[in-house]
Amino acid sequence: MDLGEGRRARASVELKVLAKTRRIRAYLRWSDKGSTRRPVYLGEVENETRRENLAEAWRRAIERGLVLPDEETPDTSWAASRSVRASMRGNRSRDTSPEKLLRKQLYERGARYRVSHRPLPGLRRTADVAFPGVRVAVFVDGCFWHGCVDHCRWPGTNEEFWRNKIEGNRARDAETNRALKESGWTPVRVWEHEDPADAADKIISLVRAKRHLATPAVDASQHAVP
């Protein structure tokens, strides 16, 4: 953190569990001249694991520009700071909380699907949820990493790097959608901020519609009673 006058301090994330509600609050802490300063409240986190909660807390600190680049970061590292690297390590590529919540809603509605499925063998793109029979591929996109217009906030430090990174992700998403459509698949994008129940309803409706279109029509005249 920047303490002013050219001074910096290393920060850490602390998670506190409220005794009555069991809600988890995240704080950014640091020391100045040996004294612990008042922590910065990062908000409540509600993931299933401590690792996921820590990753989310670091991400919020990065988005708010509270974390500064680490001068000791190796040139070979693309992460701007140790906190960023911690966030990257804690940020899962699969089985995130939004993904699991969506899968739960789909399963409760009777849907059966594949998890982390690669629709096109020759294309390195993995759908979070897939229905191969009707060729529907679902991707659960994080608001920060995929540039949600409502919730993505550019970090205050190393802004050019992060903007290029996120814009690159968005371009990759568009290319993935195009490739899937050209191969007969229907891509579905679900933002992490969306209600999983609403998203599941839309996906189920789409799967049923495609399944209905794929079912050959029966000529009633062939079964008419003479």
Side-chain angles (χ1 to χ4, degrees):
M1 295 188 67
D2 186 358
L3 303 181
E5 300 179 352
R7 295 183 301 115
R8 295 184 178 185
R10 296 195 182 280
S12 63
V13 164
E14 178 183 14
L15 301 179
K16 284 189 175 181
V17 181
L18 302 183
K20 293 184 178 181
T21 63
R22 306 305 297 173
R23 291 181 177 273
I24 304 174
R25 291 182 175 179
Y27 297 86
L28 188 68
R29 288 186 171 276
W30 72 98
S31 297
D32 181 16
K33 297 180 180 180
S35 300
T36 300
R37 299 305 181 186
R38 184 176 181 178
V40 174
Y41 178 54
L42 299 173
E44 291 187 356
V45 290
E46 50 184 3
N47 298 291
E48 295 185 2
T49 67
R50 174 179 173 81
R51 182 180 182 180
E52 289 177 299
N53 285 330
L54 286 171
E56 182 176 341
W58 278 120
R59 186 186 69 184
R60 293 182 184 181
I62 294 168
E63 291 174 356
R64 291 170 57 180
L66 299 175
V67 178
L68 297 172
D70 190 339
E71 295 178 352
E72 298 177 5
T73 301
D75 293 336
T76 55
S77 175
W78 60 270
S81 66
R82 290 181 177 178
S83 60
V84 175
R85 295 196 295 276
S87 178
M88 298 303 102
R89 288 193 294 267
N91 183 43
R92 297 184 177 187
S93 61
R94 58 171 291 180
D95 291 336
T96 63
S97 292
E99 289 175 30
K100 288 188 283 188
L101 289 172
L102 177 62
R103 296 201 309 249
K104 180 176 183 294
Q105 293 292 332
L106 290 170
Y107 193 87
E108 289 179 349
R109 287 160 172 72
R112 299 299 177 262
Y113 45 81
R114 293 188 183 180
V115 177
S116 296
H117 178 73
R118 185 170 292 181
L120 305 178
L123 186 67
R124 296 184 61 184
R125 302 290 193 277
T126 302
D128 298 310
V129 175
F131 300 84
V134 292
R135 295 192 172 189
V136 172
V138 181
F139 300 85
V140 182
D141 295 337
C143 290
F144 176 72
W145 298 108
H146 294 264
C148 170
V149 295
D150 295 323
H151 301 101
C152 180
R153 297 293 181 268
W154 304 110
T157 60
N158 211 2
E159 181 178 349
E160 182 179 358
F161 167 80
W162 286 110
R163 186 174 294 276
N164 291 338
K165 175 69 175 176
I166 294 171
E167 290 295 348
N169 288 343
R170 295 175 69 174
R172 179 184 172 93
D173 293 341
E175 172 61 20
T176 299
N177 292 347
R178 183 194 63 76
L180 288 173
K181 290 177 182 178
E182 290 180 353
S183 299
W185 282 77
T186 300
V188 178
R189 296 279 172 181
V190 177
W191 288 110
E192 68 171 326
H193 69 257
E194 290 188 52
D195 187 310
D198 292 342
D201 287 340
K202 295 176 183 178
I203 294 168
I204 292 295
S205 296
L206 174 61
V207 169
R208 287 176 177 171
K210 294 200 67 175
R211 191 166 289 155
H212 176 74
L213 291 174
T215 303
V218 177
D219 187 349
S221 63
Q222 296 180 2
H223 301 276
V225 178

